[in-house]
Amino acid sequence: MRTEDVLAAIATGLWRWDNASGIVSLDAEAARLLGLPAEPVRLSEAAVRSRFHPVDWNEIDGVVSLAVAEGTLAEARLRIMDEQGRVIRTVRSRSKPLIEGSDYQLVGTLQEVAEPQPGTAGPHTPITGDWRRSREAFLLDAGRALAEARSTAEVLRVAASLSMPGFSPDGLAVFGMSGDRLTVIGHHGQQDGDEGPFTSMSLDTDYPAAEVVRTGRAIYLPSPEEYRRRFPTTWPLAEPFERQSWAFVPLVVAGRTMGAWMAAFKHPATFTPDERSVLTTVARMLAQALARAGVAESERELSLGLQRTMMPVLGPGIPGIQVAARYVPTGGGLQVGGDWYDLIRLPGGTEGGTGGGAGRIALVIGDVQGHDVRAAALMGQLRIALRAYASEGHRPDAVLSRASRFLYGVNDGYDGYDGDGRPGGGPGAGAPGGGPRFATCLYLEVDLETGTVDIARAGHPDPAVRMVDGTVLLRPTAGGLPLGIDADTDYPTTRLTLDPGETLMICTDGLLETGGHDLDSGWERVRRLLEAHRGDDLEELADTLVEAVHGPGSHHTTGPLADRREDDIAVLLLSLRPATAVRETPRRTLMTIAQAEPERIAEAREQVRQLLHDWTDEDQLDSAVLMVSEMVTNVLVHTDGDALLTAEVACGAKGRRLRVEVSDASDELPHKRHPGEMASSGRGLVLMEMLAETWGVAPRGEGKTIWFELTEPPGAEGCCS
């Protein structure tokens, strides 16, 4: 008797499904079971699919995919429908995939299943609507949680917290590879140290995880007897854990097996096709999450190495000063960009901590356009160039002029393509088409003996000074174009004086503009932080500034918080010496308004407002601002020289006193306008006579100084209280 006749006698048919051609071959009994004439036939996949209930087809499609991935049998129950869409019978399918490269053929049987009679229990059907919905919700949550994990430790924590519907494992282990050795990446549900025997195990070992890594096929062990039978050599290693069932599933990324995942159960598990499908799906998501975490950790390690190489170590090598700095790269990808800072000992400065603190240093902070590898490379080149020019003894304006010419030359030789032949710049580079880059920069030369600071600025945010009593001033400085735009740009120099105990802050725009702020609102936020800080610990102040933007510990943050950063941040703080109890130290600001810069009159008014931020009499404050504006305007209108503004708040016998001086190089003294005169000159002196407590004009050897004073009303809380 033929095999086909025997199978037909027990209502069992044969079929072959060719995945490559999409043709399904049925023998006579299989055709009959599908509601077709009882004769051998070859049909298209679509024609066969039309005979199955749509819900059951979706299930068998997943079961077959799982069997192909694992090399196991595909088993399912299917309802057969007629041409009118009515269910005519139920069949059980058992098939085996025969894999040929990327294609496969499915060879199997179809057998009719008797329907239960009324009052009797029907056959077990593992798939229910509730279980399916529970499984889909679990996989959705697991996928979301694993996608958000940014480190291997986070991935392992998520994997350990997964609660699978109906059969949660009690023990988990993730195995990786190192050469030809099996390694344990992490585990859960075991004691620390239990992983010892499984660490650095040869891939040739007769152990389930090793075989999974070798073959790329899952292994399911539903009982201790099955484990002992298949892996007698390593069963003694697993026996002490007293588990009843084990699943070892490959971790596959881009077709390459990168490790294995073990799920162990203290209760017996049968590993139905649906349960295996859930385990396989979780393993696939787990593998992708581990791969992403590995790439991110490699990038972070490279970033930290680049940062350590490119950023200077600001140690306590120079007596009499405090220095603190922070660099926070933008989130996402390679965490290094174009921001940098530097401290340079200039010729004639202190070496090895000698000289009693006298000498000169240079502070540099800058930002190369872009947040990519090329920005970091240009930053490194520019930093070296600036160090070289500074070490040659050039003044600040000459240092920036040479640096701009250097970067312009680098840009001139750039063809718009990176070394791999692709357009340079990359995402977020900020240079259209990966073209030439520019850089903003602030260069300060500090005389440690006198406290004078000479500043040259190339399109960068101005510095700020926090005085001894907590008053914070943004110090406007003259500036030129960013570096690299014009080979022959000039950079004027601005001088200010840093008194002992005052703190100088310079930063990149990332500190100001992060969090939806513009430069103005961002500066107000930073100013409030500087004013609120108490004490003289610059390291603590640096942390406060950075954490206010990105949260606690953000100067070394990884993970989701790091990815929300909008721009690189660099900040550098300098104090000539720790602040002491010298509350009587006057507040002082000094600035020059050039003939060609009348727009800086507004900056002069703002300087006075900042200097008098806690002045109690608003009318006096408005009067002082008005008089300063009038005095500076008179110099620019009636002389050929620049105006030098000096404002100081000091304690006097009757309370705090404001003195403002405006000097110029003209010998012509101002005169007060008299009644009947038609000329417009002299009105400023009338204003001063009305608003100032005292005022005067003092001739100097070359030029003159006009000044006024105001005294704060009694009872005000200030430096004299």
Side-chain angles (χ1 to χ4, degrees), residues 572-613:
L572 182 59
L573 303 169
L574 169 73
S575 179
L576 291 189
R577 58 183 165 197
T580 56
V582 285
R583 301 283 290 175
E584 295 78 12
T585 300
R587 301 178 192 170
R588 183 183 297 108
T589 184
L590 183 148
M591 66 179 296
T592 301
I593 300 92
Q595 278 282 328
E597 297 176 322
E599 67 276 3
R600 297 197 70 202
I601 296 176
E603 295 178 0
R605 293 194 294 265
E606 182 60 26
Q607 282 285 284
V608 174
R609 286 195 177 275
Q610 292 183 27
L611 193 71
L612 302 178
H613 69 96

Side-chain angles (χ1 to χ4, degrees), residues 466-650:
R466 180 181 184 273
M467 298 180 175
V468 176
D469 67 352
T471 300
V472 178
L473 298 181
L474 184 67
R475 305 305 297 260
T477 56
L481 293 173
L483 306 178
I485 293 180
D486 187 342
D488 298 317
T489 300
D490 292 327
Y491 296 96
T493 300
T494 301
R495 171 169 287 189
L496 60 86
T497 300
L498 191 65
D499 289 328
E502 294 183 338
T503 299
L504 175 73
M505 184 202 77
I506 56 178
C507 66
T508 56
D509 56 5
L511 183 68
L512 305 175
E513 295 182 321
T514 297
H517 288 271
D518 57 23
L519 286 176
D520 291 334
S521 64
W523 155 244
E524 286 302 316
R525 173 178 58 175
V526 170
R527 182 181 62 79
R528 288 193 296 270
L529 293 170
L530 290 170
E531 288 180 344
H533 181 74
R534 295 293 179 263
D536 58 355
D537 188 341
L538 295 193
E539 296 292 338
E540 179 183 337
L541 177 57
D543 286 341
T544 298
L545 292 171
V546 173
E547 290 170 5
V549 175
H550 289 307
S554 56
H555 54 284
H556 48 70
T557 293
T558 60
L561 182 62
D563 286 344
R564 293 198 294 269
R565 298 180 190 136
E566 303 165 45
D567 196 2
D568 299 343
I569 287 176
V571 58
L572 182 59
L573 303 169
L574 169 73
S575 179
L576 291 189
R577 58 183 165 197
T580 56
V582 285
R583 301 283 290 175
E584 295 78 12
T585 300
R587 301 178 192 170
R588 183 183 297 108
T589 184
L590 183 148
M591 66 179 296
T592 301
I593 300 92
Q595 278 282 328
E597 297 176 322
E599 67 276 3
R600 297 197 70 202
I601 296 176
E603 295 178 0
R605 293 194 294 265
E606 182 60 26
Q607 282 285 284
V608 174
R609 286 195 177 275
Q610 292 183 27
L611 193 71
L612 302 178
H613 69 96
D614 58 352
W615 200 266
T616 57
D617 191 324
E618 289 291 334
D619 291 337
Q620 283 188 330
L621 172 59
D622 292 338
S623 297
V625 170
L626 177 59
M627 287 187 285
V628 165
S629 182
E630 185 68 25
M631 293 160 65
V632 173
T633 301
N634 281 340
V635 171
L636 299 188
V637 171
H638 298 294
T639 74
D640 295 328
D642 302 337
L644 176 64
L645 168 68
T646 304
E648 179 181 279
V649 177

